mmCIF file of all heavy atoms in Angstrom:
data_model
loop_
_atom_site.group_PDB
_atom_site.id
_atom_site.type_symbol
_atom_site.label_atom_id
_atom_site.label_comp_id
_atom_site.label_asym_id
_atom_site.label_seq_id
_atom_site.Cartn_x
_atom_site.Cartn_y
_atom_site.Cartn_z
ATOM 1 N N ASP A 1 100.068 102.993 113.342
ATOM 2 C CA ASP A 1 101.388 103.071 112.709
ATOM 3 C C ASP A 1 102.169 104.266 113.257
ATOM 4 O O ASP A 1 101.817 105.423 112.970
ATOM 5 C CB ASP A 1 101.203 103.200 111.197
ATOM 6 C CG ASP A 1 102.509 103.059 110.448
ATOM 7 O OD1 ASP A 1 103.566 102.994 111.100
ATOM 8 O OD2 ASP A 1 102.476 103.007 109.212
ATOM 9 N N PRO A 2 103.234 104.039 114.022
ATOM 10 C CA PRO A 2 103.975 105.162 114.613
ATOM 11 C C PRO A 2 104.573 106.122 113.589
ATOM 12 O O PRO A 2 104.710 107.311 113.879
ATOM 13 C CB PRO A 2 105.084 104.460 115.412
ATOM 14 C CG PRO A 2 104.549 103.091 115.680
ATOM 15 C CD PRO A 2 103.737 102.739 114.471
ATOM 16 N N LYS A 3 104.905 105.637 112.409
ATOM 17 C CA LYS A 3 105.539 106.532 111.436
ATOM 18 C C LYS A 3 104.567 107.512 110.793
ATOM 19 O O LYS A 3 104.975 108.447 110.103
ATOM 20 C CB LYS A 3 106.249 105.723 110.356
ATOM 21 C CG LYS A 3 105.365 104.943 109.405
ATOM 22 C CD LYS A 3 106.201 104.250 108.339
ATOM 23 C CE LYS A 3 105.341 103.453 107.362
ATOM 24 N NZ LYS A 3 104.735 102.281 108.033
ATOM 25 N N THR A 4 103.229 107.302 111.030
ATOM 26 C CA THR A 4 102.234 108.223 110.472
ATOM 27 C C THR A 4 101.671 109.192 111.501
ATOM 28 O O THR A 4 101.010 110.158 111.142
ATOM 29 C CB THR A 4 101.064 107.434 109.863
ATOM 30 O OG1 THR A 4 100.352 106.752 110.903
ATOM 31 C CG2 THR A 4 101.556 106.423 108.832
ATOM 32 N N VAL A 5 101.938 108.971 112.793
ATOM 33 C CA VAL A 5 101.265 109.731 113.840
ATOM 34 C C VAL A 5 101.751 111.183 113.890
ATOM 35 O O VAL A 5 102.947 111.468 113.785
ATOM 36 C CB VAL A 5 101.466 109.038 115.208
ATOM 37 C CG1 VAL A 5 102.923 109.034 115.631
ATOM 38 C CG2 VAL A 5 100.594 109.681 116.267
ATOM 39 N N ASN A 6 100.810 112.095 114.058
ATOM 40 C CA ASN A 6 101.112 113.517 114.172
ATOM 41 C C ASN A 6 101.809 113.815 115.501
ATOM 42 O O ASN A 6 101.639 113.104 116.487
ATOM 43 C CB ASN A 6 99.807 114.317 114.055
ATOM 44 C CG ASN A 6 100.014 115.804 114.215
ATOM 45 O OD1 ASN A 6 99.824 116.338 115.297
ATOM 46 N ND2 ASN A 6 100.409 116.479 113.148
ATOM 47 N N TRP A 7 102.585 114.920 115.550
ATOM 48 C CA TRP A 7 103.378 115.251 116.729
ATOM 49 C C TRP A 7 102.528 115.583 117.958
ATOM 50 O O TRP A 7 103.041 115.575 119.071
ATOM 51 C CB TRP A 7 104.311 116.429 116.417
ATOM 52 C CG TRP A 7 105.428 116.049 115.486
ATOM 53 C CD1 TRP A 7 106.511 115.301 115.777
ATOM 54 C CD2 TRP A 7 105.545 116.391 114.102
ATOM 55 N NE1 TRP A 7 107.313 115.140 114.673
ATOM 56 C CE2 TRP A 7 106.746 115.814 113.614
ATOM 57 C CE3 TRP A 7 104.760 117.129 113.208
ATOM 58 C CZ2 TRP A 7 107.175 115.950 112.305
ATOM 59 C CZ3 TRP A 7 105.194 117.267 111.904
ATOM 60 C CH2 TRP A 7 106.381 116.686 111.460
ATOM 61 N N ASN A 8 101.238 115.880 117.773
ATOM 62 C CA ASN A 8 100.362 116.198 118.913
ATOM 63 C C ASN A 8 99.544 115.009 119.389
ATOM 64 O O ASN A 8 98.568 115.166 120.109
ATOM 65 C CB ASN A 8 99.428 117.354 118.563
ATOM 66 C CG ASN A 8 100.156 118.669 118.486
ATOM 67 O OD1 ASN A 8 100.419 119.180 117.403
ATOM 68 N ND2 ASN A 8 100.510 119.227 119.638
ATOM 69 N N LEU A 9 99.960 113.823 118.984
ATOM 70 C CA LEU A 9 99.279 112.611 119.415
ATOM 71 C C LEU A 9 100.273 111.677 120.109
ATOM 72 O O LEU A 9 101.441 111.610 119.733
ATOM 73 C CB LEU A 9 98.654 111.886 118.214
ATOM 74 C CG LEU A 9 97.520 112.612 117.485
ATOM 75 C CD1 LEU A 9 97.043 111.785 116.300
ATOM 76 C CD2 LEU A 9 96.365 112.917 118.426
ATOM 77 N N VAL A 10 99.766 110.961 121.123
ATOM 78 C CA VAL A 10 100.573 109.979 121.849
ATOM 79 C C VAL A 10 99.933 108.606 121.671
ATOM 80 O O VAL A 10 98.733 108.438 121.919
ATOM 81 C CB VAL A 10 100.674 110.326 123.349
ATOM 82 C CG1 VAL A 10 101.458 109.250 124.087
ATOM 83 C CG2 VAL A 10 101.315 111.686 123.541
ATOM 84 N N LEU A 11 100.740 107.621 121.251
ATOM 85 C CA LEU A 11 100.248 106.258 121.073
ATOM 86 C C LEU A 11 100.500 105.441 122.336
ATOM 87 O O LEU A 11 101.497 105.634 123.026
ATOM 88 C CB LEU A 11 100.940 105.592 119.881
ATOM 89 C CG LEU A 11 100.778 106.265 118.517
ATOM 90 C CD1 LEU A 11 101.473 105.447 117.440
ATOM 91 C CD2 LEU A 11 99.317 106.452 118.175
ATOM 92 N N SER A 12 99.587 104.511 122.616
ATOM 93 C CA SER A 12 99.791 103.605 123.749
ATOM 94 C C SER A 12 100.868 102.582 123.394
ATOM 95 O O SER A 12 101.229 102.404 122.226
ATOM 96 C CB SER A 12 98.477 102.892 124.089
ATOM 97 O OG SER A 12 98.041 102.114 122.984
ATOM 98 N N ASP A 13 101.380 101.902 124.417
ATOM 99 C CA ASP A 13 102.444 100.922 124.193
ATOM 100 C C ASP A 13 102.007 99.786 123.280
ATOM 101 O O ASP A 13 102.812 99.247 122.517
ATOM 102 C CB ASP A 13 102.920 100.349 125.533
ATOM 103 C CG ASP A 13 103.637 101.389 126.383
ATOM 104 O OD1 ASP A 13 104.128 102.388 125.790
ATOM 105 O OD2 ASP A 13 103.701 101.224 127.613
ATOM 106 N N ASP A 14 100.720 99.408 123.369
ATOM 107 C CA ASP A 14 100.246 98.317 122.518
ATOM 108 C C ASP A 14 99.769 98.794 121.149
ATOM 109 O O ASP A 14 99.255 98.008 120.352
ATOM 110 C CB ASP A 14 99.123 97.545 123.218
ATOM 111 C CG ASP A 14 97.890 98.417 123.487
ATOM 112 O OD1 ASP A 14 97.926 99.628 123.174
ATOM 113 O OD2 ASP A 14 96.910 97.890 124.035
ATOM 114 N N LEU A 15 99.947 100.106 120.878
ATOM 115 C CA LEU A 15 99.573 100.706 119.587
ATOM 116 C C LEU A 15 98.090 100.489 119.265
ATOM 117 O O LEU A 15 97.704 100.336 118.108
ATOM 118 C CB LEU A 15 100.435 100.127 118.453
ATOM 119 C CG LEU A 15 101.941 100.319 118.589
ATOM 120 C CD1 LEU A 15 102.675 99.703 117.400
ATOM 121 C CD2 LEU A 15 102.305 101.794 118.724
ATOM 122 N N ARG A 16 97.250 100.528 120.330
ATOM 123 C CA ARG A 16 95.817 100.321 120.137
ATOM 124 C C ARG A 16 94.985 101.541 120.500
ATOM 125 O O ARG A 16 93.782 101.543 120.272
ATOM 126 C CB ARG A 16 95.356 99.125 120.990
ATOM 127 C CG ARG A 16 96.020 97.807 120.651
ATOM 128 C CD ARG A 16 95.405 97.154 119.468
ATOM 129 N NE ARG A 16 94.037 96.725 119.747
ATOM 130 C CZ ARG A 16 93.171 96.369 118.809
ATOM 131 N NH1 ARG A 16 93.495 96.429 117.542
ATOM 132 N NH2 ARG A 16 91.955 95.976 119.139
ATOM 133 N N SER A 17 95.593 102.575 121.079
ATOM 134 C CA SER A 17 94.854 103.785 121.417
ATOM 135 C C SER A 17 95.735 105.005 121.171
ATOM 136 O O SER A 17 96.971 104.909 121.167
ATOM 137 C CB SER A 17 94.370 103.746 122.873
ATOM 138 O OG SER A 17 95.467 103.707 123.755
ATOM 139 N N VAL A 18 95.068 106.150 120.973
ATOM 140 C CA VAL A 18 95.771 107.395 120.694
ATOM 141 C C VAL A 18 95.140 108.504 121.534
ATOM 142 O O VAL A 18 93.916 108.562 121.691
ATOM 143 C CB VAL A 18 95.711 107.730 119.187
ATOM 144 C CG1 VAL A 18 94.269 107.824 118.698
ATOM 145 C CG2 VAL A 18 96.449 109.017 118.889
ATOM 146 N N THR A 19 95.986 109.381 122.082
ATOM 147 C CA THR A 19 95.532 110.474 122.947
ATOM 148 C C THR A 19 96.119 111.789 122.453
ATOM 149 O O THR A 19 97.303 111.856 122.106
ATOM 150 C CB THR A 19 95.966 110.232 124.406
ATOM 151 O OG1 THR A 19 95.457 108.962 124.846
ATOM 152 C CG2 THR A 19 95.436 111.336 125.316
ATOM 153 N N TRP A 20 95.280 112.823 122.441
ATOM 154 C CA TRP A 20 95.735 114.153 121.999
ATOM 155 C C TRP A 20 96.467 114.873 123.129
ATOM 156 O O TRP A 20 96.129 114.734 124.305
ATOM 157 C CB TRP A 20 94.527 114.969 121.546
ATOM 158 C CG TRP A 20 94.903 116.335 121.032
ATOM 159 C CD1 TRP A 20 95.379 116.647 119.792
ATOM 160 C CD2 TRP A 20 94.835 117.566 121.745
ATOM 161 N NE1 TRP A 20 95.615 117.980 119.685
ATOM 162 C CE2 TRP A 20 95.297 118.591 120.875
ATOM 163 C CE3 TRP A 20 94.443 117.912 123.036
ATOM 164 C CZ2 TRP A 20 95.353 119.915 121.259
ATOM 165 C CZ3 TRP A 20 94.520 119.241 123.421
ATOM 166 C CH2 TRP A 20 94.969 120.230 122.533
ATOM 167 N N THR A 21 97.478 115.632 122.777
ATOM 168 C CA THR A 21 98.227 116.423 123.749
ATOM 169 C C THR A 21 98.645 117.748 123.121
ATOM 170 O O THR A 21 98.894 117.821 121.907
ATOM 171 C CB THR A 21 99.486 115.664 124.227
ATOM 172 O OG1 THR A 21 100.220 116.500 125.123
ATOM 173 C CG2 THR A 21 100.384 115.286 123.049
ATOM 174 N N GLU A 22 98.678 118.796 123.937
ATOM 175 C CA GLU A 22 99.112 120.098 123.425
ATOM 176 C C GLU A 22 100.623 120.139 123.195
ATOM 177 O O GLU A 22 101.111 120.897 122.360
ATOM 178 C CB GLU A 22 98.715 121.205 124.409
ATOM 179 C CG GLU A 22 97.212 121.450 124.490
ATOM 180 C CD GLU A 22 96.874 122.626 125.386
ATOM 181 O OE1 GLU A 22 97.815 123.198 125.991
ATOM 182 O OE2 GLU A 22 95.684 122.977 125.475
ATOM 183 N N GLN A 23 101.354 119.341 123.940
ATOM 184 C CA GLN A 23 102.810 119.337 123.840
ATOM 185 C C GLN A 23 103.259 118.432 122.695
ATOM 186 O O GLN A 23 102.942 117.250 122.655
ATOM 187 C CB GLN A 23 103.430 118.860 125.157
ATOM 188 C CG GLN A 23 104.949 118.904 125.164
ATOM 189 C CD GLN A 23 105.507 118.475 126.514
ATOM 190 O OE1 GLN A 23 104.753 118.172 127.432
ATOM 191 N NE2 GLN A 23 106.821 118.481 126.630
ATOM 192 N N GLU A 24 104.007 118.986 121.750
ATOM 193 C CA GLU A 24 104.481 118.207 120.612
ATOM 194 C C GLU A 24 105.469 117.140 121.057
ATOM 195 O O GLU A 24 106.311 117.366 121.921
ATOM 196 C CB GLU A 24 105.126 119.122 119.566
ATOM 197 C CG GLU A 24 104.139 120.017 118.844
ATOM 198 C CD GLU A 24 104.761 120.681 117.621
ATOM 199 O OE1 GLU A 24 105.983 120.497 117.413
ATOM 200 O OE2 GLU A 24 104.028 121.353 116.886
ATOM 201 N N GLN A 25 105.343 115.985 120.444
ATOM 202 C CA GLN A 25 106.204 114.856 120.771
ATOM 203 C C GLN A 25 107.430 114.833 119.846
ATOM 204 O O GLN A 25 107.355 115.259 118.689
ATOM 205 C CB GLN A 25 105.416 113.548 120.621
ATOM 206 C CG GLN A 25 104.156 113.488 121.463
ATOM 207 C CD GLN A 25 104.455 113.638 122.944
ATOM 208 O OE1 GLN A 25 105.187 112.822 123.519
ATOM 209 N NE2 GLN A 25 103.902 114.665 123.568
ATOM 210 N N PRO A 26 108.558 114.318 120.331
ATOM 211 C CA PRO A 26 109.803 114.345 119.543
ATOM 212 C C PRO A 26 109.902 113.206 118.540
ATOM 213 O O PRO A 26 110.879 112.453 118.509
ATOM 214 C CB PRO A 26 110.873 114.221 120.633
ATOM 215 C CG PRO A 26 110.232 113.389 121.698
ATOM 216 C CD PRO A 26 108.782 113.803 121.708
ATOM 217 N N TYR A 27 108.868 113.063 117.678
ATOM 218 C CA TYR A 27 108.933 112.018 116.664
ATOM 219 C C TYR A 27 109.883 112.436 115.553
ATOM 220 O O TYR A 27 109.910 113.613 115.156
ATOM 221 C CB TYR A 27 107.548 111.753 116.076
ATOM 222 C CG TYR A 27 106.505 111.309 117.088
ATOM 223 C CD1 TYR A 27 105.218 111.844 117.069
ATOM 224 C CD2 TYR A 27 106.794 110.344 118.042
ATOM 225 C CE1 TYR A 27 104.258 111.447 117.983
ATOM 226 C CE2 TYR A 27 105.840 109.931 118.962
ATOM 227 C CZ TYR A 27 104.580 110.486 118.930
ATOM 228 O OH TYR A 27 103.649 110.085 119.834
ATOM 229 N N PRO A 28 110.652 111.506 114.995
ATOM 230 C CA PRO A 28 111.559 111.851 113.887
ATOM 231 C C PRO A 28 110.774 112.149 112.620
ATOM 232 O O PRO A 28 109.654 111.660 112.442
ATOM 233 C CB PRO A 28 112.412 110.591 113.736
ATOM 234 C CG PRO A 28 111.541 109.478 114.238
ATOM 235 C CD PRO A 28 110.750 110.075 115.364
ATOM 236 N N PRO A 29 111.325 112.947 111.717
ATOM 237 C CA PRO A 29 110.642 113.227 110.449
ATOM 238 C C PRO A 29 110.438 111.943 109.645
ATOM 239 O O PRO A 29 111.265 111.023 109.703
ATOM 240 C CB PRO A 29 111.609 114.170 109.736
ATOM 241 C CG PRO A 29 112.460 114.737 110.809
ATOM 242 C CD PRO A 29 112.601 113.672 111.848
ATOM 243 N N HIS A 30 109.324 111.896 108.950
ATOM 244 C CA HIS A 30 109.049 110.745 108.080
ATOM 245 C C HIS A 30 108.076 111.198 106.998
ATOM 246 O O HIS A 30 107.130 111.946 107.285
ATOM 247 C CB HIS A 30 108.438 109.585 108.880
ATOM 248 C CG HIS A 30 108.482 108.282 108.140
ATOM 249 N ND1 HIS A 30 107.607 107.972 107.119
ATOM 250 C CD2 HIS A 30 109.315 107.206 108.266
ATOM 251 C CE1 HIS A 30 107.883 106.772 106.653
ATOM 252 N NE2 HIS A 30 108.922 106.284 107.340
ATOM 253 N N PRO A 31 108.284 110.787 105.758
ATOM 254 C CA PRO A 31 107.404 111.246 104.665
ATOM 255 C C PRO A 31 105.948 110.837 104.828
ATOM 256 O O PRO A 31 105.057 111.471 104.253
ATOM 257 C CB PRO A 31 108.025 110.597 103.417
ATOM 258 C CG PRO A 31 108.877 109.478 103.932
ATOM 259 C CD PRO A 31 109.381 109.927 105.262
ATOM 260 N N GLU A 32 105.668 109.802 105.618
ATOM 261 C CA GLU A 32 104.283 109.358 105.794
ATOM 262 C C GLU A 32 103.619 109.963 107.031
ATOM 263 O O GLU A 32 102.455 109.700 107.300
ATOM 264 C CB GLU A 32 104.236 107.831 105.898
ATOM 265 C CG GLU A 32 104.652 107.122 104.609
ATOM 266 C CD GLU A 32 104.423 105.628 104.684
ATOM 267 O OE1 GLU A 32 103.506 105.209 105.429
ATOM 268 O OE2 GLU A 32 105.156 104.876 104.020
ATOM 269 N N ARG A 33 104.344 110.814 107.791
ATOM 270 C CA ARG A 33 103.792 111.401 109.003
ATOM 271 C C ARG A 33 102.851 112.554 108.646
ATOM 272 O O ARG A 33 103.131 113.358 107.758
ATOM 273 C CB ARG A 33 104.923 111.903 109.906
ATOM 274 C CG ARG A 33 104.431 112.286 111.312
ATOM 275 C CD ARG A 33 105.594 112.677 112.212
ATOM 276 N NE ARG A 33 106.626 111.656 112.269
ATOM 277 C CZ ARG A 33 106.537 110.517 112.935
ATOM 278 N NH1 ARG A 33 105.428 110.254 113.612
ATOM 279 N NH2 ARG A 33 107.532 109.640 112.927
ATOM 280 N N PHE A 34 101.704 112.648 109.361
ATOM 281 C CA PHE A 34 100.782 113.763 109.164
ATOM 282 C C PHE A 34 101.368 115.020 109.808
ATOM 283 O O PHE A 34 101.693 115.022 110.999
ATOM 284 C CB PHE A 34 99.406 113.450 109.767
ATOM 285 C CG PHE A 34 98.607 112.479 108.942
ATOM 286 C CD1 PHE A 34 98.537 111.135 109.279
ATOM 287 C CD2 PHE A 34 97.933 112.911 107.802
ATOM 288 C CE1 PHE A 34 97.815 110.236 108.518
ATOM 289 C CE2 PHE A 34 97.198 112.018 107.032
ATOM 290 C CZ PHE A 34 97.144 110.687 107.386
ATOM 291 N N LYS A 35 101.472 116.085 109.006
ATOM 292 C CA LYS A 35 102.159 117.294 109.462
ATOM 293 C C LYS A 35 101.226 118.292 110.134
ATOM 294 O O LYS A 35 101.586 118.905 111.141
ATOM 295 C CB LYS A 35 102.824 118.014 108.284
ATOM 296 C CG LYS A 35 103.939 117.374 107.452
ATOM 297 C CD LYS A 35 104.552 116.134 107.899
ATOM 298 C CE LYS A 35 105.672 115.696 106.948
ATOM 299 N NZ LYS A 35 105.335 114.527 106.170
ATOM 300 N N ASP A 36 100.040 118.491 109.582
ATOM 301 C CA ASP A 36 99.208 119.636 109.979
ATOM 302 C C ASP A 36 97.982 119.277 110.819
ATOM 303 O O ASP A 36 97.342 120.173 111.373
ATOM 304 C CB ASP A 36 98.738 120.384 108.731
ATOM 305 C CG ASP A 36 99.901 120.877 107.899
ATOM 306 O OD1 ASP A 36 100.881 121.352 108.502
ATOM 307 O OD2 ASP A 36 99.846 120.776 106.661
ATOM 308 N N HIS A 37 97.626 118.006 110.914
ATOM 309 C CA HIS A 37 96.413 117.621 111.635
ATOM 310 C C HIS A 37 96.716 116.422 112.535
ATOM 311 O O HIS A 37 97.502 115.539 112.160
ATOM 312 C CB HIS A 37 95.285 117.278 110.663
ATOM 313 C CG HIS A 37 94.960 118.388 109.713
ATOM 314 N ND1 HIS A 37 94.307 119.533 110.105
ATOM 315 C CD2 HIS A 37 95.232 118.532 108.389
ATOM 316 C CE1 HIS A 37 94.174 120.341 109.064
ATOM 317 N NE2 HIS A 37 94.724 119.755 108.008
ATOM 318 N N PRO A 38 96.097 116.375 113.732
ATOM 319 C CA PRO A 38 96.350 115.271 114.675
ATOM 320 C C PRO A 38 95.694 113.979 114.200
ATOM 321 O O PRO A 38 94.616 113.595 114.659
ATOM 322 C CB PRO A 38 95.738 115.778 115.985
ATOM 323 C CG PRO A 38 94.674 116.739 115.566
ATOM 324 C CD PRO A 38 95.184 117.397 114.324
ATOM 325 N N GLN A 39 96.369 113.315 113.286
ATOM 326 C CA GLN A 39 95.829 112.113 112.667
ATOM 327 C C GLN A 39 96.855 110.987 112.702
ATOM 328 O O GLN A 39 98.050 111.220 112.847
ATOM 329 C CB GLN A 39 95.406 112.390 111.220
ATOM 330 C CG GLN A 39 94.327 113.455 111.111
ATOM 331 C CD GLN A 39 93.899 113.736 109.680
ATOM 332 O OE1 GLN A 39 92.838 114.293 109.447
ATOM 333 N NE2 GLN A 39 94.724 113.402 108.704
ATOM 334 N N VAL A 40 96.369 109.766 112.534
ATOM 335 C CA VAL A 40 97.236 108.590 112.505
ATOM 336 C C VAL A 40 96.522 107.502 111.711
ATOM 337 O O VAL A 40 95.291 107.448 111.677
ATOM 338 C CB VAL A 40 97.564 108.106 113.940
ATOM 339 C CG1 VAL A 40 96.307 107.659 114.668
ATOM 340 C CG2 VAL A 40 98.597 106.981 113.917
ATOM 341 N N LEU A 41 97.308 106.642 111.047
ATOM 342 C CA LEU A 41 96.766 105.522 110.286
ATOM 343 C C LEU A 41 97.101 104.213 110.986
ATOM 344 O O LEU A 41 97.979 104.153 111.846
ATOM 345 C CB LEU A 41 97.345 105.480 108.865
ATOM 346 C CG LEU A 41 97.183 106.711 107.995
ATOM 347 C CD1 LEU A 41 97.784 106.444 106.618
ATOM 348 C CD2 LEU A 41 95.724 107.114 107.865
ATOM 349 N N CYS A 42 96.398 103.158 110.587
ATOM 350 C CA CYS A 42 96.774 101.814 111.017
ATOM 351 C C CYS A 42 97.900 101.298 110.121
ATOM 352 O O CYS A 42 98.054 101.733 108.970
ATOM 353 C CB CYS A 42 95.582 100.864 110.935
ATOM 354 S SG CYS A 42 94.496 100.939 112.382
ATOM 355 N N SER A 43 98.648 100.348 110.634
ATOM 356 C CA SER A 43 99.732 99.762 109.843
ATOM 357 C C SER A 43 99.193 98.854 108.749
ATOM 358 O O SER A 43 99.857 98.645 107.729
ATOM 359 C CB SER A 43 100.656 98.941 110.757
ATOM 360 O OG SER A 43 101.223 99.743 111.757
ATOM 361 N N GLN A 44 97.984 98.305 108.946
ATOM 362 C CA GLN A 44 97.444 97.326 108.010
ATOM 363 C C GLN A 44 96.780 98.020 106.813
ATOM 364 O O GLN A 44 95.938 98.902 107.000
ATOM 365 C CB GLN A 44 96.415 96.429 108.705
ATOM 366 C CG GLN A 44 96.985 95.516 109.776
ATOM 367 C CD GLN A 44 97.315 96.233 111.076
ATOM 368 O OE1 GLN A 44 96.862 97.361 111.284
ATOM 369 N NE2 GLN A 44 98.097 95.612 111.925
ATOM 370 N N SER A 45 97.169 97.606 105.615
ATOM 371 C CA SER A 45 96.498 98.086 104.411
ATOM 372 C C SER A 45 95.451 97.066 103.986
ATOM 373 O O SER A 45 95.618 95.862 104.198
ATOM 374 C CB SER A 45 97.502 98.305 103.281
ATOM 375 O OG SER A 45 98.079 97.079 102.876
ATOM 376 N N LEU A 46 94.379 97.544 103.377
ATOM 377 C CA LEU A 46 93.257 96.700 102.970
ATOM 378 C C LEU A 46 93.036 96.880 101.476
ATOM 379 O O LEU A 46 92.779 97.998 101.015
ATOM 380 C CB LEU A 46 92.007 97.078 103.751
ATOM 381 C CG LEU A 46 92.175 97.153 105.283
ATOM 382 C CD1 LEU A 46 90.919 97.715 105.930
ATOM 383 C CD2 LEU A 46 92.510 95.794 105.851
#
């Protein structure tokens, strides 16, 4: 889920892999985005 990904993570185009980077990415603010840890959720809820 792109709206949850931390600024130090890069998602692949198919949204199936995530890579850590030291350079912060210019993601827009979102209440569901992880602020302090390089984490990301899936879009699917169970």
